[in-house]
Amino acid sequence: MQYIETITKAYRDYWSYLVREILHPHWGNYFYWLIGVSLVVWSLEILFPWRKQQSNFRKGFWLDTFYMFFNFFLFSLILYNALSNVAVEFFESILASIGVRNLVAVEIASWPVVAQWLSLFVLADFLQWNIHRLLHRVPWLWKFHQVHHSVKEMGFAAQFRFHWMETIVYKTIQYIPLSMIGFGIDDFFIVHMTAVTIGHLNHANLGWDYGPLKYILNNPKMHIWHHSRSLPEAHHYGANFGLSLSLWDYLFGTAYVPTNGRNIPLGFEYDEEFPEDFLGHNVYPLRKGK
C-alpha cells in the first residue's frame, strides 16, 4: 500500500506540474525553454547549414520532434516518475534497515551557487560519459542504444531520439554518486537546460567546433563521428562518447575526429532492417535474436 500511494502521488504531482508548466510560464519553465532552445538551434541550422543539400525538414524530423516531447515530458508522466519514486523509497528503506540514514559524503549545498552548478555539471557529465560507453560495449544495452544511432540525417531534435530504457539506465546509475554530494542548488534547471542546449548543437546541421574550446566542449564536428556508420578497429565500440564535454574523450583516448565528417554515412552496420517508426524502435530491442 505504501508503494501504491507513492505511485498515485507521483502521477498526481507530475500531472499538476506539467499543467502548471504549460499554463503558467516562468523563467525556470522547462517546457517553454525546450521550445525556445529548439527554435533557436533550428534557426541556426536554416541560416548556416553545414550540409546544404539537407532539407530543413530532414529525414526523421517529425519523428525526432515527437521523441523530444515524449522523452522530455510524456515518458516521465506515463512511467518513469512513478517508478523512480518507488525505487528511491525502496532503496532508502533498505539503507535504513542497515542503519544508513544519509548517503551524503560531500555537502556542497553551502558552496557558492556557481561552484555548485559547475560541480554538478562536471560530475554528471563524467558519469554520463561512462554510462554512454557502457551502452556501446554491453550487447543488451547496445540493442536499446541502436535507436539513437538509427538517425540518418543529423538535426537538433535527434538528441532525443532514444529508447526510454536509456533514461532508466542513466538515472539509476547516476542516483547514488549524485546523491552523495548533497546537491542543494535551487535552480537545477540551469544545469539541465545547459546540457540540452549543448546536445541540440551537437546534433545540429552546423559545422562548428569552437576552435581551441573543442578540447573541452563537445561540438557538431566531433559528435557526427560518434554517429558514423563505420569506424576503424581501434574504435570498434565507438568514439566521442562525451555528452556536453569532449574533455573525457581526449583524456581517456576515445576521441576520433580524422576529418570534418560533413558527409559521412550515419547509422550502424547491418542497420538496413532496423525499423523507422516509433513503435518499431521501441519493440525492436525487446525481440529475441536481434
Side-chain angles (χ1 to χ4, degrees), residues 129 234-235 238-241 247-256:
W129 177 81
H235 295 283
N240 307 342
F241 299 105
L247 176 67
W248 317 120
D249 289 301
Y250 285 107
L251 283 176
F252 297 104
T254 52
Y256 182 72

Side-chain angles (χ1 to χ4, degrees), residues 50 201-202 206-223 246 250 257 259-260:
W50 192 26
L201 290 168
N202 291 341
L206 296 169
W208 299 353
D209 64 9
Y210 313 135
L213 289 178
K214 66 185 178 183
Y215 298 109
I216 298 175
L217 287 175
N218 199 357
N219 54 81
K221 280 189 174 180
M222 181 177 192
H223 193 67
S246 61
Y250 285 107
V257 191
T259 64
N260 69 21

Side-chain angles (χ1 to χ4, degrees), residues 67 147 163 274-285 287:
Y67 262 114
V147 171
H163 197 284
F274 200 80
E276 297 183 1
D277 61 285
F278 177 78
L279 181 60
H281 284 175
N282 285 274
V283 171
Y284 189 89
R287 291 164 58 187

